[in-house]
Amino acid sequence: MNIDSRIARLRSLDREHIWHPFTQMADWAKSDPLIITGASGCFLKDVRGGWYLDGVSSLWVNILGHRRREIDEAIKAQLGKVAHSTLLGMANEASSELAGKLAALVQKSFGAGRLTRIFFSDDGSTSVEVALKMAFQYWAHKGEKQRTLFISLENGYHGDTLGSVSVGGVDIFHSAFKPLLFRTGKAPSPYCYRCPLGLSRPGCGLECAAALERLVEANRDTVAGVVLEPMVQAAGGMIFFPAGYLKRVSEICNRHGVPFIADEVATGFGRTGKTFACEHEGVVPDILCLSKGLTGGYLPLAVTVANDKIYNAFLGGYEELKTFFHGHSYTGNPLACAAASAVLDIFDKEDIPGMAAPKAAILKNWLRDMETRQFVGEARGLGLMAGVELVADKETKKHFPWEQRVGWKVALKALEKGLFIRPLGNVIVIMPPLSVSQPNLERMLEVIAAAVSECAG
Ligand SMILES: *Cc1c(COP(=O)(O)O)cnc(C)c1O
């Protein structure tokens, strides 16, 4: 088949049968998307043979590059044994091996004996669902069934299932489903550039954290847990916490005896410069959600890690019905666990956060420079995770009109220059694989800077 008819065939199969996520399909039908057929390192190859820098790490999951030899081999070796067997009623070698390695990594970051129990699921959303159900049922087992209120943040994102949407706070994604959601308490987002409380740093004294504490106090008898993305509200617009905020929230949770749930689905595995983002403020959650980077971006897998206090509350006689009634068909899938095991071996052998550090420094300098430019309101980041917020007017921080789709235009322009990125509205997201080379990172940043000046003007 010649190349043109091959492309036409793939294009029409996609157009006729696939409903793409987060995509207005009426627009999609008119578009000419890349059709990826291969990859190597930080590059994706399309059906025409063009190579594109994977500037979103294939939606934030690919931390070590594509076709990383050790991960490829681990999956192949596991395929030679068994692809899948269930964790309902039996154990499997791959999930046990992974659990041991993951417990060791988590201990290295959070201390021995703090976060000990690993519950497997399939993606970030389910890892959060599991955390919410665990925290709720933990209280029920302690005789406090009235504790049904979760407190989370405006601009938070925890996934797309209804439980995780309930604790989410991104209106554009979530408002359509409001009638289906359970009630939660929403604390203000620590979004200093556009402080929802109209305050400014450092004089504010972290009033946003105080507001969260008042919410906990006002609901002291019904709070089941506090859930947030530590250090950065990612999908909500790359909003980075002011220093001290995370620590304050953790202290509030400890003071009130409320489980602190850290959703590190996006930040885990070195993305922010530490293995886990909680480490930036020396904070230890009661429940930790991990997914995206866990398998190096190879296969869907997630874990919810709980401490002994939570776990022990579920122990009892069979007839007491204290069992955690949750699980999925593919819970603890051996192929995915083998991929994750290979990733953790790499973390053990190589200092992944340390190797990313010089690149994070390059990114930080670039952000500082970007912030001086016209139409850049704020350029912010931590580790190899950053956002450039474009504004129509720097003085007034006026947004570009939503319909103008400036972020989207920047992404299209970048694609012409060989870089794939995906913005969040008018926030340009910088999220390369942690393994990106310095020249490739520099190239990526040059392309974005050029695309911004061509599109925002
Ligand atoms: C992406 C993300 C999720 C959801 O993960 P999925 O794998 O898309 O279900 C949850 N929490 C955070 C912080 C995320 O970034």
Side-chain angles (χ1 to χ4, degrees), residues 365-440:
N365 280 331
W366 179 83
L367 291 170
R368 210 173 289 138
D369 173 61
M370 282 302 280
E371 211 169 72
T372 65
R373 301 195 184 199
Q374 210 190 353
F375 305 115
V376 175
E378 191 179 51
R380 48 192 182 242
L382 184 67
L384 279 178
M385 185 173 192
V388 175
E389 181 167 341
L390 303 178
V391 289
D393 184 332
K394 275 172 91 95
E395 210 56 50
T396 61
K397 304 184 181 177
K398 193 167 144 269
H399 290 282
F400 278 108
W402 184 254
E403 332 68 78
Q404 209 172 311
R405 303 184 76 183
V406 172
W408 179 76
K409 284 178 189 155
V410 170
L412 272 189
K413 183 62 75 180
L415 195 61
E416 282 172 23
K417 300 173 194 282
L419 168 67
F420 182 74
I421 51 174
R422 189 170 166 92
L424 291 160
N426 291 331
V427 176
I428 306 304
V429 176
I430 290 107
M431 191 83 78
L434 305 183
S435 61
V436 68
S437 70
Q438 291 194 20
N440 283 334

Coordinates of all heavy atoms in Angstrom, one line a residue, residues 365-440:
N365 N 15.8 29.3 34.1 CA 16.3 30.5 33.5 C 15.4 31.0 32.4 O 15.2 32.2 32.2 CB 17.7 30.3 33.0 CG 18.8 30.4 34.1 OD1 18.6 31.1 35.0 ND2 19.8 29.6 33.9
W366 N 15.0 30.0 31.6 CA 14.1 30.4 30.5 C 12.8 31.0 30.9 O 12.3 32.0 30.4 CB 13.9 29.1 29.7 CG 13.0 29.3 28.5 CD1 13.4 29.7 27.2 CD2 11.6 29.0 28.4 NE1 12.3 29.7 26.4 CE2 11.2 29.3 27.1 CE3 10.7 28.5 29.3 CZ2 9.9 29.1 26.7 CZ3 9.4 28.3 28.9 CH2 9.0 28.6 27.6
L367 N 12.3 30.4 32.0 CA 11.0 31.0 32.5 C 11.2 32.4 33.0 O 10.3 33.3 32.7 CB 10.5 30.1 33.7 CG 10.0 28.7 33.4 CD1 9.8 27.9 34.7 CD2 8.7 28.7 32.6
R368 N 12.3 32.7 33.6 CA 12.6 34.0 34.1 C 12.6 35.0 32.9 O 12.1 36.1 32.9 CB 13.9 34.1 34.8 CG 14.0 35.1 35.9 CD 15.3 35.0 36.7 NE 15.3 33.8 37.6 CZ 16.3 33.0 37.8 NH1 17.5 33.2 37.1 NH2 16.2 32.0 38.6
D369 N 13.3 34.5 31.8 CA 13.3 35.4 30.6 C 12.0 35.5 30.0 O 11.6 36.6 29.6 CB 14.3 34.8 29.6 CG 14.3 35.5 28.3 OD1 14.6 36.7 28.3 OD2 13.9 34.9 27.2
M370 N 11.2 34.4 29.9 CA 9.9 34.5 29.3 C 9.0 35.5 30.0 O 8.2 36.2 29.4 CB 9.2 33.1 29.3 CG 9.7 32.2 28.3 SD 9.5 32.7 26.6 CE 7.7 32.4 26.3
E371 N 9.2 35.6 31.3 CA 8.3 36.4 32.1 C 8.4 37.9 31.8 O 7.6 38.7 32.0 CB 8.4 36.2 33.6 CG 7.2 36.4 34.3 CD 7.3 35.9 35.8 OE1 8.0 36.5 36.6 OE2 6.6 34.9 36.1
T372 N 9.6 38.3 31.2 CA 9.8 39.7 30.8 C 9.1 40.0 29.5 O 9.1 41.2 29.1 CB 11.3 40.0 30.6 OG1 11.8 39.2 29.5 CG2 12.1 39.6 31.9
R373 N 8.6 39.0 28.8 CA 8.1 39.2 27.4 C 6.6 39.7 27.4 O 5.9 39.4 28.4 CB 8.2 38.0 26.6 CG 9.6 37.5 26.5 CD 9.7 36.5 25.4 NE 11.1 36.0 25.4 CZ 11.6 35.4 24.4 NH1 10.9 35.2 23.3 NH2 12.9 35.0 24.4
Q374 N 6.3 40.4 26.4 CA 4.9 40.8 26.2 C 4.0 39.6 26.1 O 4.4 38.5 25.6 CB 4.8 41.6 24.9 CG 3.7 42.6 24.9 CD 3.5 43.2 23.5 OE1 4.2 42.9 22.6 NE2 2.5 44.0 23.4
F375 N 2.8 39.7 26.6 CA 1.8 38.7 26.6 C 2.1 37.5 27.5 O 1.3 36.5 27.5 CB 1.5 38.1 25.2 CG 1.1 39.2 24.2 CD1 2.0 39.5 23.2 CD2 0.0 40.0 24.4 CE1 1.6 40.6 22.3 CE2 -0.4 41.0 23.6 CZ 0.5 41.3 22.5
V376 N 3.2 37.6 28.3 CA 3.4 36.5 29.3 C 3.1 37.1 30.7 O 3.8 38.0 31.1 CB 4.9 36.0 29.2 CG1 5.1 34.9 30.3 CG2 5.1 35.3 27.9
G377 N 2.0 36.6 31.3 CA 1.6 37.1 32.6 C 2.5 36.6 33.6 O 3.1 37.3 34.4
E378 N 2.6 35.2 33.6 CA 3.5 34.6 34.6 C 4.1 33.3 34.0 O 3.4 32.6 33.2 CB 2.7 34.2 35.9 CG 3.7 33.8 37.0 CD 3.0 33.4 38.3 OE1 2.0 32.6 38.3 OE2 3.4 33.9 39.4
A379 N 5.4 33.1 34.2 CA 6.0 31.9 33.7 C 6.6 31.2 35.0 O 7.4 31.7 35.7 CB 7.2 32.2 32.8
R380 N 6.0 30.0 35.3 CA 6.2 29.4 36.6 C 6.5 27.9 36.4 O 6.1 27.3 35.5 CB 5.0 29.6 37.5 CG 3.7 29.2 36.8 CD 2.5 29.7 37.6 NE 1.3 29.2 36.9 CZ 0.3 30.0 36.4 NH1 0.4 31.3 36.5 NH2 -0.7 29.5 35.7
G381 N 7.3 27.4 37.3 CA 7.7 25.9 37.2 C 8.4 25.4 38.4 O 8.7 26.2 39.4
L382 N 8.5 24.1 38.5 CA 9.2 23.4 39.5 C 9.7 22.1 38.9 O 9.0 21.3 38.3 CB 8.3 23.1 40.7 CG 8.9 22.5 42.0 CD1 9.9 23.4 42.6 CD2 7.8 22.1 42.9
G383 N 11.0 21.9 39.0 CA 11.6 20.7 38.4 C 11.4 20.8 36.9 O 11.6 21.8 36.3
L384 N 10.9 19.7 36.3 CA 10.7 19.7 34.8 C 9.2 19.8 34.5 O 8.7 19.0 33.7 CB 11.4 18.5 34.1 CG 12.9 18.7 33.9 CD1 13.4 17.4 33.2 CD2 13.1 19.9 33.0
M385 N 8.6 20.7 35.1 CA 7.1 20.9 35.0 C 6.9 22.4 35.1 O 7.3 23.0 36.1 CB 6.5 20.2 36.2 CG 5.0 20.1 36.3 SD 4.7 19.1 37.8 CE 2.9 18.8 37.5
A386 N 6.3 22.9 34.0 CA 6.2 24.4 34.0 C 5.0 24.8 33.2 O 4.5 24.1 32.4 CB 7.4 25.1 33.5
G387 N 4.5 26.1 33.5 CA 3.4 26.6 32.7 C 3.7 28.1 32.4 O 4.3 28.8 33.2
V388 N 3.4 28.5 31.2 CA 3.5 29.9 30.8 C 2.1 30.5 30.6 O 1.5 30.0 29.6 CB 4.4 30.0 29.5 CG1 4.5 31.5 29.1 CG2 5.8 29.5 29.8
E389 N 1.7 31.3 31.5 CA 0.4 31.9 31.4 C 0.3 33.1 30.5 O 0.9 34.1 30.8 CB -0.2 32.2 32.8 CG -1.6 32.7 32.7 CD -2.4 32.8 34.0 OE1 -2.0 32.1 35.0 OE2 -3.4 33.5 34.1
L390 N -0.3 33.0 29.3 CA -0.4 34.1 28.4 C -1.6 35.0 28.7 O -2.7 34.5 29.1 CB -0.6 33.5 27.0 CG 0.5 32.5 26.5 CD1 0.2 32.0 25.1 CD2 1.9 33.2 26.5
V391 N -1.4 36.3 28.7 CA -2.4 37.2 29.0 C -2.5 38.3 27.9 O -1.5 38.6 27.2 CB -2.2 38.0 30.3 CG1 -2.4 37.0 31.5 CG2 -0.8 38.6 30.4
A392 N -3.7 38.9 27.7 CA -3.8 39.9 26.7 C -3.1 41.2 27.1 O -2.7 42.0 26.3 CB -5.3 40.2 26.4
D393 N -3.1 41.4 28.5 CA -2.6 42.6 29.0 C -1.8 42.3 30.3 O -2.4 41.9 31.3 CB -3.7 43.6 29.3 CG -3.2 45.0 29.8 OD1 -2.1 45.0 30.4 OD2 -3.9 46.0 29.5
K394 N -0.5 42.6 30.3 CA 0.3 42.2 31.5 C -0.1 43.0 32.7 O 0.0 42.5 33.8 CB 1.8 42.5 31.2 CG 2.5 41.3 30.5 CD 3.9 41.7 30.1 CE 4.9 41.4 31.1 NZ 5.6 40.1 30.9
E395 N -0.4 44.3 32.4 CA -0.7 45.2 33.5 C -1.9 44.8 34.3 O -1.9 44.6 35.5 CB -0.9 46.6 32.9 CG -0.5 47.8 33.8 CD 0.9 47.7 34.3 OE1 1.8 47.5 33.5 OE2 1.1 47.8 35.5
T396 N -3.0 44.5 33.6 CA -4.3 44.2 34.2 C -4.5 42.7 34.4 O -5.5 42.2 35.0 CB -5.4 44.7 33.4 OG1 -5.4 44.1 32.1 CG2 -5.3 46.2 33.2
K397 N -3.6 41.9 33.8 CA -3.7 40.4 33.8 C -4.9 39.9 33.1 O -5.4 38.9 33.4 CB -3.7 39.9 35.3 CG -2.5 40.3 36.1 CD -2.5 39.6 37.5 CE -1.3 40.1 38.3 NZ -1.3 39.5 39.6
K398 N -5.4 40.7 32.2 CA -6.6 40.4 31.4 C -6.3 39.1 30.6 O -5.3 39.0 29.9 CB -7.0 41.6 30.5 CG -8.3 41.5 30.0 CD -8.7 42.8 29.4 CE -9.5 42.7 28.2 NZ -9.3 42.6 26.9
H399 N -7.3 38.2 30.7 CA -7.2 37.0 29.9 C -7.4 37.3 28.4 O -8.1 38.2 28.0 CB -8.3 36.0 30.3 CG -8.1 35.4 31.6 ND1 -7.2 34.4 31.9 CD2 -8.8 35.7 32.8 CE1 -7.3 34.1 33.2 NE2 -8.2 34.8 33.7
F400 N -6.7 36.5 27.6 CA -7.1 36.5 26.2 C -8.5 35.9 26.1 O -8.9 35.0 26.9 CB -6.2 35.5 25.3 CG -4.9 36.2 24.9 CD1 -3.7 35.8 25.5 CD2 -5.0 37.2 23.9 CE1 -2.6 36.4 25.1 CE2 -3.8 37.8 23.5 CZ -2.6 37.4 24.1
P401 N -9.4 36.4 25.2 CA -10.7 35.8 25.2 C -10.6 34.3 24.9 O -9.7 33.9 24.1 CB -11.4 36.5 24.0 CG -10.6 37.7 23.7 CD -9.2 37.4 24.2
W402 N -11.4 33.5 25.6 CA -11.3 32.0 25.4 C -11.4 31.6 24.0 O -10.6 30.7 23.5 CB -12.5 31.4 26.3 CG -12.5 29.9 26.3 CD1 -13.4 29.1 25.7 CD2 -11.6 29.1 27.0 NE1 -13.1 27.8 25.9 CE2 -12.0 27.8 26.8 CE3 -10.5 29.3 27.9 CZ2 -11.3 26.7 27.3 CZ3 -9.8 28.2 28.4 CH2 -10.2 26.9 28.1
E403 N -12.3 32.2 23.2 CA -12.6 31.8 21.8 C -11.4 32.0 20.9 O -11.3 31.5 19.9 CB -13.8 32.5 21.2 CG -14.9 33.0 22.1 CD -14.6 34.1 23.0 OE1 -14.5 35.3 22.5 OE2 -14.3 33.8 24.2
Q404 N -10.5 32.9 21.4 CA -9.4 33.3 20.5 C -8.4 32.1 20.4 O -7.6 32.0 19.5 CB -8.7 34.5 21.1 CG -8.0 35.4 20.0 CD -7.5 36.7 20.6 OE1 -8.3 37.4 21.3 NE2 -6.3 37.0 20.3
R405 N -8.4 31.2 21.4 CA -7.7 30.0 21.4 C -6.2 30.2 21.2 O -5.5 29.5 20.3 CB -8.2 29.0 20.4 CG -9.7 28.6 20.6 CD -10.2 27.6 19.6 NE -9.7 26.3 20.0 CZ -10.0 25.2 19.2 NH1 -10.7 25.3 18.1 NH2 -9.5 24.0 19.6
V406 N -5.6 31.1 21.9 CA -4.2 31.5 21.8 C -3.3 30.3 22.1 O -2.4 30.0 21.4 CB -3.9 32.7 22.6 CG1 -2.4 33.0 22.6 CG2 -4.6 33.9 22.1
G407 N -3.6 29.6 23.2 CA -2.8 28.5 23.6 C -2.8 27.4 22.5 O -1.7 26.8 22.2
W408 N -3.9 27.2 21.9 CA -4.1 26.2 20.9 C -3.3 26.6 19.6 O -2.6 25.7 19.0 CB -5.6 26.0 20.6 CG -5.9 25.0 19.5 CD1 -6.0 23.7 19.6 CD2 -6.3 25.4 18.2 NE1 -6.4 23.2 18.4 CE2 -6.6 24.2 17.5 CE3 -6.5 26.6 17.5 CZ2 -7.1 24.1 16.2 CZ3 -7.0 26.5 16.2 CH2 -7.2 25.3 15.5
K409 N -3.3 27.9 19.3 CA -2.5 28.4 18.2 C -1.0 28.2 18.4 O -0.3 27.9 17.5 CB -2.9 29.8 17.9 CG -4.2 30.0 17.2 CD -4.5 31.5 17.0 CE -6.0 31.7 16.6 NZ -6.5 33.0 16.9
V410 N -0.6 28.5 19.6 CA 0.8 28.3 19.9 C 1.2 26.8 19.7 O 2.3 26.5 19.1 CB 1.1 28.7 21.4 CG1 2.5 28.3 21.8 CG2 0.9 30.2 21.5
A411 N 0.3 25.9 20.2 CA 0.6 24.5 20.0 C 0.7 24.1 18.5 O 1.6 23.3 18.1 CB -0.4 23.6 20.7
L412 N -0.2 24.6 17.7 CA -0.2 24.3 16.3 C 1.1 24.8 15.6 O 1.7 24.1 14.8 CB -1.3 25.0 15.6 CG -2.7 24.3 15.5 CD1 -3.6 25.0 14.6 CD2 -2.4 22.8 15.0
K413 N 1.5 26.0 16.0 CA 2.7 26.6 15.5 C 4.0 25.8 15.9 O 4.9 25.5 15.1 CB 2.9 28.1 16.0 CG 4.1 28.8 15.5 CD 4.1 29.0 14.0 CE 3.1 30.1 13.5 NZ 3.1 30.2 12.1
A414 N 3.9 25.3 17.2 CA 5.0 24.5 17.6 C 5.1 23.2 16.8 O 6.2 22.7 16.5 CB 4.9 24.2 19.1
L415 N 4.0 22.6 16.5 CA 3.9 21.4 15.8 C 4.6 21.5 14.4 O 5.3 20.7 13.9 CB 2.5 20.9 15.6 CG 2.3 19.5 15.2 CD1 2.9 18.5 16.2 CD2 0.8 19.1 15.0
E416 N 4.3 22.7 13.8 CA 5.0 23.0 12.5 C 6.5 23.0 12.6 O 7.2 22.7 11.7 CB 4.6 24.4 12.0 CG 3.2 24.5 11.4 CD 2.9 26.0 11.1 OE1 3.8 26.8 11.0 OE2 1.7 26.3 11.0
K417 N 7.0 23.3 13.9 CA 8.4 23.3 14.1 C 8.9 22.0 14.7 O 10.0 22.0 15.3 CB 8.7 24.5 15.0 CG 8.3 25.9 14.4 CD 8.6 27.0 15.5 CE 7.9 28.3 15.2 NZ 8.7 29.1 14.2
G418 N 8.1 21.0 14.7 CA 8.5 19.7 15.2 C 8.4 19.4 16.7 O 9.0 18.5 17.2
L419 N 7.5 20.1 17.3 CA 7.3 19.9 18.8 C 5.9 19.7 19.1 O 5.0 20.5 18.7 CB 7.8 21.2 19.5 CG 7.4 21.2 21.0 CD1 8.1 20.2 21.8 CD2 7.7 22.6 21.6
F420 N 5.5 18.6 19.8 CA 4.2 18.4 20.2 C 4.0 18.9 21.6 O 4.6 18.4 22.5 CB 3.8 16.9 20.1 CG 2.4 16.6 20.5 CD1 1.3 17.0 19.6 CD2 2.0 16.1 21.7 CE1 0.0 16.8 20.0 CE2 0.7 15.8 22.1 CZ -0.3 16.2 21.2
I421 N 3.1 19.8 21.8 CA 2.7 20.3 23.2 C 1.2 20.4 23.2 O 0.5 20.4 22.2 CB 3.3 21.6 23.6 CG1 3.0 22.7 22.5 CG2 4.8 21.5 23.9 CD1 3.5 24.1 22.9
R422 N 0.6 20.4 24.4 CA -0.8 20.5 24.6 C -1.1 21.5 25.7 O -0.7 21.3 26.9 CB -1.5 19.2 24.9 CG -3.0 19.2 24.8 CD -3.6 17.8 24.9 NE -5.0 17.9 25.2 CZ -6.0 18.0 24.2 NH1 -5.7 17.9 23.0 NH2 -7.2 18.1 24.6
P423 N -1.7 22.7 25.4 CA -1.9 23.7 26.4 C -3.1 23.4 27.2 O -3.9 22.6 26.9 CB -2.1 25.0 25.5 CG -2.8 24.4 24.3 CD -2.2 23.1 24.0
L424 N -3.2 24.1 28.4 CA -4.4 24.1 29.2 C -5.0 25.5 29.0 O -4.5 26.5 29.7 CB -4.0 23.9 30.6 CG -3.5 22.5 31.0 CD1 -2.7 22.4 32.3 CD2 -4.7 21.5 31.0
G425 N -5.9 25.7 28.1 CA -6.4 27.0 27.8 C -5.3 27.9 27.3 O -4.6 27.5 26.4
N426 N -5.1 29.0 28.0 CA -4.0 29.9 27.6 C -2.7 29.7 28.5 O -1.9 30.6 28.5 CB -4.5 31.4 27.6 CG -5.5 31.6 26.5 OD1 -5.4 30.9 25.5 ND2 -6.4 32.5 26.7
V427 N -2.6 28.6 29.1 CA -1.4 28.3 29.8 C -0.6 27.2 28.9 O -1.1 26.1 28.7 CB -1.7 27.7 31.2 CG1 -0.3 27.3 31.9 CG2 -2.4 28.7 32.1
I428 N 0.6 27.6 28.5 CA 1.4 26.7 27.7 C 2.1 25.8 28.7 O 2.8 26.2 29.6 CB 2.5 27.5 26.9 CG1 1.8 28.5 26.0 CG2 3.3 26.5 26.0 CD1 0.7 28.0 25.1
V429 N 1.9 24.5 28.5 CA 2.5 23.5 29.5 C 3.8 23.0 28.9 O 3.9 22.5 27.8 CB 1.5 22.3 29.6 CG1 2.1 21.2 30.5 CG2 0.2 22.8 30.2
I430 N 4.8 23.0 29.8 CA 6.1 22.4 29.5 C 6.3 21.2 30.3 O 6.4 21.3 31.6 CB 7.2 23.5 29.7 CG1 7.1 24.6 28.7 CG2 8.6 22.8 29.6 CD1 6.6 25.8 29.2
M431 N 6.4 20.0 29.7 CA 6.4 18.8 30.4 C 7.2 17.7 29.6 O 6.6 16.7 29.2 CB 4.9 18.3 30.6 CG 4.7 17.2 31.6 SD 4.6 17.7 33.3 CE 3.0 18.3 33.4
P432 N 8.5 17.9 29.4 CA 9.2 17.0 28.6 C 9.6 15.7 29.5 O 9.5 15.8 30.7 CB 10.5 17.7 28.3 CG 10.7 18.7 29.5 CD 9.3 19.0 29.9
P433 N 9.9 14.6 28.8 CA 10.4 13.5 29.6 C 11.6 13.9 30.5 O 12.4 14.8 30.0 CB 10.8 12.5 28.5 CG 10.0 12.8 27.3 CD 9.8 14.3 27.4
L434 N 11.7 13.3 31.6 CA 12.8 13.7 32.5 C 14.2 13.4 31.9 O 15.2 14.0 32.2 CB 12.7 13.0 33.9 CG 11.4 13.2 34.6 CD1 11.5 12.5 36.0 CD2 11.1 14.6 34.8
S435 N 14.1 12.4 30.9 CA 15.4 12.0 30.2 C 15.7 12.9 29.0 O 16.7 12.6 28.4 CB 15.2 10.6 29.8 OG 14.1 10.5 28.8
V436 N 15.0 13.9 28.8 CA 15.2 14.8 27.6 C 16.7 15.3 27.7 O 17.2 15.6 28.8 CB 14.2 16.0 27.6 CG1 14.5 17.0 28.8 CG2 14.3 16.7 26.3
S437 N 17.4 15.3 26.5 CA 18.7 15.8 26.6 C 18.7 17.3 26.7 O 17.7 18.0 26.3 CB 19.5 15.4 25.3 OG 18.9 16.1 24.2
Q438 N 19.8 17.9 27.1 CA 19.9 19.4 27.2 C 19.6 20.1 25.9 O 18.8 21.0 25.8 CB 21.2 19.9 27.8 CG 21.3 19.5 29.3 CD 22.4 20.2 30.1 OE1 22.9 21.2 29.6 NE2 22.8 19.6 31.2
P439 N 20.3 19.6 24.8 CA 20.0 20.3 23.5 C 18.5 20.2 23.1 O 18.0 21.1 22.5 CB 20.9 19.6 22.5 CG 22.0 18.9 23.3 CD 21.4 18.7 24.7
N440 N 17.9 19.0 23.3 CA 16.5 18.9 23.0 C 15.6 19.7 23.8 O 14.6 20.3 23.3 CB 16.1 17.4 23.0 CG 16.6 16.6 21.9 OD1 16.8 17.1 20.8 ND2 16.8 15.3 22.1

